mmCIF file of all heavy atoms in Angstrom:
data_model
loop_
_atom_site.group_PDB
_atom_site.id
_atom_site.type_symbol
_atom_site.label_atom_id
_atom_site.label_comp_id
_atom_site.label_asym_id
_atom_site.label_seq_id
_atom_site.Cartn_x
_atom_site.Cartn_y
_atom_site.Cartn_z
ATOM 1 N N GLY V 1 95.287 107.238 95.879
ATOM 2 C CA GLY V 1 95.943 106.044 96.621
ATOM 3 C C GLY V 1 97.055 106.496 97.500
ATOM 4 O O GLY V 1 97.379 107.707 97.600
ATOM 5 N N GLN V 2 97.638 105.528 98.274
ATOM 6 C CA GLN V 2 98.701 105.771 99.117
ATOM 7 C C GLN V 2 100.091 105.929 98.361
ATOM 8 O O GLN V 2 100.811 104.804 98.289
ATOM 9 C CB GLN V 2 98.778 104.749 100.277
ATOM 10 C CG GLN V 2 97.506 104.666 101.085
ATOM 11 C CD GLN V 2 97.283 106.001 101.891
ATOM 12 O OE1 GLN V 2 98.290 106.586 102.312
ATOM 13 N NE2 GLN V 2 96.089 106.397 102.020
ATOM 14 N N LEU V 3 100.363 107.017 97.846
ATOM 15 C CA LEU V 3 101.621 107.078 96.983
ATOM 16 C C LEU V 3 102.802 106.858 97.914
ATOM 17 O O LEU V 3 103.834 106.252 97.407
ATOM 18 C CB LEU V 3 101.654 108.419 96.353
ATOM 19 C CG LEU V 3 102.843 108.799 95.465
ATOM 20 C CD1 LEU V 3 102.877 107.769 94.312
ATOM 21 C CD2 LEU V 3 102.797 110.276 94.960
ATOM 22 N N LYS V 4 102.892 107.336 99.074
ATOM 23 C CA LYS V 4 104.061 107.252 99.853
ATOM 24 C C LYS V 4 104.455 105.718 100.104
ATOM 25 O O LYS V 4 105.551 105.320 100.037
ATOM 26 C CB LYS V 4 103.851 107.968 101.259
ATOM 27 C CG LYS V 4 105.010 107.750 102.260
ATOM 28 C CD LYS V 4 104.721 108.491 103.532
ATOM 29 C CE LYS V 4 105.890 108.196 104.526
ATOM 30 N NZ LYS V 4 106.020 106.804 104.773
ATOM 31 N N ASP V 5 103.394 104.939 100.399
ATOM 32 C CA ASP V 5 103.620 103.498 100.705
ATOM 33 C C ASP V 5 104.204 102.799 99.411
ATOM 34 O O ASP V 5 105.047 102.011 99.529
ATOM 35 C CB ASP V 5 102.435 102.787 101.201
ATOM 36 C CG ASP V 5 101.964 103.425 102.493
ATOM 37 O OD1 ASP V 5 102.798 103.960 103.276
ATOM 38 O OD2 ASP V 5 100.725 103.274 102.822
ATOM 39 N N VAL V 6 103.591 103.151 98.378
ATOM 40 C CA VAL V 6 104.027 102.530 97.011
ATOM 41 C C VAL V 6 105.545 102.879 96.775
ATOM 42 O O VAL V 6 106.296 102.107 96.270
ATOM 43 C CB VAL V 6 103.100 102.844 95.860
ATOM 44 C CG1 VAL V 6 103.598 102.283 94.544
ATOM 45 C CG2 VAL V 6 101.658 102.397 96.132
ATOM 46 N N ILE V 7 105.831 104.110 96.835
ATOM 47 C CA ILE V 7 107.158 104.643 96.676
ATOM 48 C C ILE V 7 108.152 103.987 97.610
ATOM 49 O O ILE V 7 109.311 103.604 97.172
ATOM 50 C CB ILE V 7 107.207 106.232 96.601
ATOM 51 C CG1 ILE V 7 106.431 106.828 95.574
ATOM 52 C CG2 ILE V 7 108.746 106.689 96.568
ATOM 53 C CD1 ILE V 7 106.439 108.249 95.644
ATOM 54 N N THR V 8 107.813 103.876 98.765
ATOM 55 C CA THR V 8 108.684 103.238 99.809
ATOM 56 C C THR V 8 109.022 101.832 99.435
ATOM 57 O O THR V 8 110.094 101.249 99.498
ATOM 58 C CB THR V 8 108.045 103.267 101.267
ATOM 59 O OG1 THR V 8 107.884 104.649 101.565
ATOM 60 C CG2 THR V 8 108.944 102.686 102.292
ATOM 61 N N ARG V 9 107.876 101.093 99.016
ATOM 62 C CA ARG V 9 108.085 99.688 98.589
ATOM 63 C C ARG V 9 108.908 99.598 97.406
ATOM 64 O O ARG V 9 109.683 98.692 97.178
ATOM 65 C CB ARG V 9 106.719 99.015 98.361
ATOM 66 C CG ARG V 9 105.866 98.864 99.668
ATOM 67 C CD ARG V 9 104.441 98.295 99.431
ATOM 68 N NE ARG V 9 103.848 98.221 100.537
ATOM 69 C CZ ARG V 9 102.393 97.838 100.597
ATOM 70 N NH1 ARG V 9 101.808 97.457 99.497
ATOM 71 N NH2 ARG V 9 101.750 97.799 101.683
ATOM 72 N N LEU V 10 108.711 100.431 96.383
ATOM 73 C CA LEU V 10 109.576 100.489 95.212
ATOM 74 C C LEU V 10 111.047 100.667 95.608
ATOM 75 O O LEU V 10 111.784 100.025 94.951
ATOM 76 C CB LEU V 10 109.050 101.617 94.258
ATOM 77 C CG LEU V 10 109.803 101.702 92.968
ATOM 78 C CD1 LEU V 10 109.818 100.497 92.193
ATOM 79 C CD2 LEU V 10 109.313 102.918 92.146
ATOM 80 N N ASN V 11 111.266 101.698 96.471
ATOM 81 C CA ASN V 11 112.574 101.861 96.822
ATOM 82 C C ASN V 11 113.231 100.695 97.497
ATOM 83 O O ASN V 11 114.392 100.364 97.267
ATOM 84 C CB ASN V 11 112.693 103.069 97.737
ATOM 85 C CG ASN V 11 113.998 103.691 97.903
ATOM 86 O OD1 ASN V 11 115.028 103.344 97.164
ATOM 87 N ND2 ASN V 11 114.224 104.579 98.817
ATOM 88 N N ARG V 12 112.434 100.008 98.329
ATOM 89 C CA ARG V 12 113.012 98.769 99.032
ATOM 90 C C ARG V 12 113.356 97.655 97.992
ATOM 91 O O ARG V 12 114.324 96.950 98.156
ATOM 92 C CB ARG V 12 111.962 98.332 99.988
ATOM 93 C CG ARG V 12 112.438 97.207 100.945
ATOM 94 C CD ARG V 12 113.632 97.543 101.711
ATOM 95 N NE ARG V 12 114.234 96.466 102.335
ATOM 96 C CZ ARG V 12 115.403 96.470 103.022
ATOM 97 N NH1 ARG V 12 115.972 97.693 103.177
ATOM 98 N NH2 ARG V 12 115.808 95.494 103.651
ATOM 99 N N LEU V 13 112.413 97.489 96.971
ATOM 100 C CA LEU V 13 112.615 96.505 95.976
ATOM 101 C C LEU V 13 113.908 96.811 95.164
ATOM 102 O O LEU V 13 114.664 95.869 94.851
ATOM 103 C CB LEU V 13 111.472 96.454 95.062
ATOM 104 C CG LEU V 13 110.120 95.792 95.685
ATOM 105 C CD1 LEU V 13 109.005 95.882 94.649
ATOM 106 C CD2 LEU V 13 110.415 94.318 95.973
ATOM 107 N N MET V 14 114.110 98.051 94.756
ATOM 108 C CA MET V 14 115.301 98.429 94.076
ATOM 109 C C MET V 14 116.584 98.160 94.940
ATOM 110 O O MET V 14 117.574 97.636 94.488
ATOM 111 C CB MET V 14 115.226 99.936 93.648
ATOM 112 C CG MET V 14 114.260 100.254 92.686
ATOM 113 S SD MET V 14 114.282 102.051 92.128
ATOM 114 C CE MET V 14 115.969 102.162 91.622
ATOM 115 N N PHE V 15 116.525 98.428 96.241
ATOM 116 C CA PHE V 15 117.585 98.197 97.100
ATOM 117 C C PHE V 15 117.900 96.663 97.240
ATOM 118 O O PHE V 15 119.060 96.287 97.196
ATOM 119 C CB PHE V 15 117.356 98.817 98.519
ATOM 120 C CG PHE V 15 118.391 98.476 99.557
ATOM 121 C CD1 PHE V 15 119.566 99.266 99.549
ATOM 122 C CD2 PHE V 15 118.226 97.436 100.459
ATOM 123 C CE1 PHE V 15 120.562 98.943 100.575
ATOM 124 C CE2 PHE V 15 119.284 97.142 101.442
ATOM 125 C CZ PHE V 15 120.360 97.919 101.512
ATOM 126 N N ASP V 16 116.886 95.903 97.305
ATOM 127 C CA ASP V 16 117.149 94.439 97.447
ATOM 128 C C ASP V 16 117.614 94.000 96.118
ATOM 129 O O ASP V 16 118.460 93.012 96.149
ATOM 130 C CB ASP V 16 115.827 93.798 97.718
ATOM 131 C CG ASP V 16 115.335 94.059 99.136
ATOM 132 O OD1 ASP V 16 116.061 94.531 100.034
ATOM 133 O OD2 ASP V 16 114.019 93.886 99.452
ATOM 134 N N ALA V 17 117.219 94.463 94.983
ATOM 135 C CA ALA V 17 117.712 94.025 93.701
ATOM 136 C C ALA V 17 119.187 94.274 93.474
ATOM 137 O O ALA V 17 119.996 93.494 93.044
ATOM 138 C CB ALA V 17 116.895 94.608 92.595
ATOM 139 N N ARG V 18 119.604 95.525 94.020
ATOM 140 C CA ARG V 18 121.017 95.939 93.883
ATOM 141 C C ARG V 18 121.898 95.085 94.814
ATOM 142 O O ARG V 18 123.051 94.759 94.452
ATOM 143 C CB ARG V 18 121.193 97.405 94.214
ATOM 144 C CG ARG V 18 120.708 98.308 93.138
ATOM 145 C CD ARG V 18 121.271 99.669 93.308
ATOM 146 N NE ARG V 18 121.075 100.229 94.665
ATOM 147 C CZ ARG V 18 120.033 100.845 95.004
ATOM 148 N NH1 ARG V 18 119.027 101.101 94.268
ATOM 149 N NH2 ARG V 18 119.941 101.305 96.274
ATOM 150 N N ALA V 19 121.354 94.776 96.041
ATOM 151 C CA ALA V 19 122.082 93.967 96.953
ATOM 152 C C ALA V 19 122.288 92.458 96.369
ATOM 153 O O ALA V 19 123.383 91.958 96.404
ATOM 154 C CB ALA V 19 121.249 93.869 98.241
ATOM 155 N N ILE V 20 121.209 91.955 95.645
ATOM 156 C CA ILE V 20 121.379 90.666 95.121
ATOM 157 C C ILE V 20 122.411 90.684 93.973
ATOM 158 O O ILE V 20 123.163 89.735 93.766
ATOM 159 C CB ILE V 20 119.894 90.171 94.575
ATOM 160 C CG1 ILE V 20 119.153 89.916 95.850
ATOM 161 C CG2 ILE V 20 120.101 88.849 93.816
ATOM 162 C CD1 ILE V 20 117.693 89.567 95.478
ATOM 163 N N GLU V 21 122.321 91.749 93.178
ATOM 164 C CA GLU V 21 123.275 91.868 92.066
ATOM 165 C C GLU V 21 124.634 91.963 92.524
ATOM 166 O O GLU V 21 125.572 91.315 91.886
ATOM 167 C CB GLU V 21 122.857 93.128 91.267
ATOM 168 C CG GLU V 21 123.625 93.197 89.821
ATOM 169 C CD GLU V 21 123.009 92.305 88.820
ATOM 170 O OE1 GLU V 21 121.963 91.654 89.098
ATOM 171 O OE2 GLU V 21 123.703 92.093 87.765
ATOM 172 N N LYS V 22 124.958 92.723 93.604
ATOM 173 C CA LYS V 22 126.299 92.905 94.035
ATOM 174 C C LYS V 22 126.741 91.526 94.704
ATOM 175 O O LYS V 22 127.903 91.171 94.611
ATOM 176 C CB LYS V 22 126.343 93.994 95.098
ATOM 177 C CG LYS V 22 126.146 95.414 94.521
ATOM 178 C CD LYS V 22 126.269 96.402 95.614
ATOM 179 C CE LYS V 22 126.127 97.836 95.052
ATOM 180 N NZ LYS V 22 126.163 98.956 96.032
ATOM 181 N N LYS V 23 125.848 90.803 95.311
ATOM 182 C CA LYS V 23 126.273 89.513 95.945
ATOM 183 C C LYS V 23 126.561 88.608 94.845
ATOM 184 O O LYS V 23 127.539 87.801 94.932
ATOM 185 C CB LYS V 23 124.996 88.988 96.734
ATOM 186 C CG LYS V 23 125.297 87.630 97.385
ATOM 187 C CD LYS V 23 124.260 87.245 98.280
ATOM 188 C CE LYS V 23 124.563 85.848 99.018
ATOM 189 N NZ LYS V 23 123.387 85.400 99.854
ATOM 190 N N LYS V 24 125.740 88.519 93.690
ATOM 191 C CA LYS V 24 126.124 87.745 92.525
ATOM 192 C C LYS V 24 127.569 88.008 91.997
ATOM 193 O O LYS V 24 128.302 87.038 91.745
ATOM 194 C CB LYS V 24 125.036 87.917 91.448
ATOM 195 C CG LYS V 24 125.248 86.962 90.304
ATOM 196 C CD LYS V 24 124.369 87.258 89.181
ATOM 197 C CE LYS V 24 124.654 88.560 88.527
ATOM 198 N NZ LYS V 24 123.832 88.820 87.271
ATOM 199 N N TYR V 25 127.798 89.309 91.775
ATOM 200 C CA TYR V 25 129.094 89.640 91.389
ATOM 201 C C TYR V 25 130.281 89.284 92.288
ATOM 202 O O TYR V 25 131.388 88.933 91.851
ATOM 203 C CB TYR V 25 129.199 91.099 90.925
ATOM 204 C CG TYR V 25 128.687 91.444 89.613
ATOM 205 C CD1 TYR V 25 127.330 91.940 89.485
ATOM 206 C CD2 TYR V 25 129.355 91.215 88.444
ATOM 207 C CE1 TYR V 25 126.706 92.225 88.234
ATOM 208 C CE2 TYR V 25 128.812 91.447 87.236
ATOM 209 C CZ TYR V 25 127.475 92.015 87.091
ATOM 210 O OH TYR V 25 126.940 92.291 85.916
ATOM 211 N N ALA V 26 129.963 89.393 93.555
ATOM 212 C CA ALA V 26 130.975 89.091 94.606
ATOM 213 C C ALA V 26 131.279 87.510 94.544
ATOM 214 O O ALA V 26 132.378 87.082 94.690
ATOM 215 C CB ALA V 26 130.544 89.454 95.936
ATOM 216 N N LEU V 27 130.111 86.710 94.398
ATOM 217 C CA LEU V 27 130.418 85.225 94.434
ATOM 218 C C LEU V 27 131.032 84.723 93.100
ATOM 219 O O LEU V 27 131.719 83.715 93.137
ATOM 220 C CB LEU V 27 129.024 84.654 94.610
ATOM 221 C CG LEU V 27 128.291 84.723 95.949
ATOM 222 C CD1 LEU V 27 126.862 84.136 95.933
ATOM 223 C CD2 LEU V 27 129.117 84.210 96.998
ATOM 224 N N THR V 28 130.859 85.604 91.992
ATOM 225 C CA THR V 28 131.461 85.067 90.713
ATOM 226 C C THR V 28 132.723 85.726 90.373
ATOM 227 O O THR V 28 133.174 85.636 89.333
ATOM 228 C CB THR V 28 130.425 85.208 89.658
ATOM 229 O OG1 THR V 28 129.997 86.458 89.592
ATOM 230 C CG2 THR V 28 129.168 84.329 89.927
#
């Protein structure tokens, strides 16, 4: 399979999750 595409998407998901977590802590 296309390992590069899957890893890139996983990295993007982790980045978005961290951004949401930081935004939550900033708002609260």
Side-chain angles (χ1 to χ4, degrees):
Q2 298 296 324
L3 181 61
K4 176 181 178 296
D5 294 339
V6 175
I7 293 177
T8 302
R9 292 177 184 176
L10 175 60
N11 196 8
R12 186 63 189 176
L13 286 174
M14 291 182 60
F15 176 80
D16 292 340
R18 287 200 307 276
I20 293 174
E21 191 73 12
K22 291 181 179 179
K23 183 178 180 180
K24 181 186 75 173
Y25 277 103
L27 293 175
T28 60

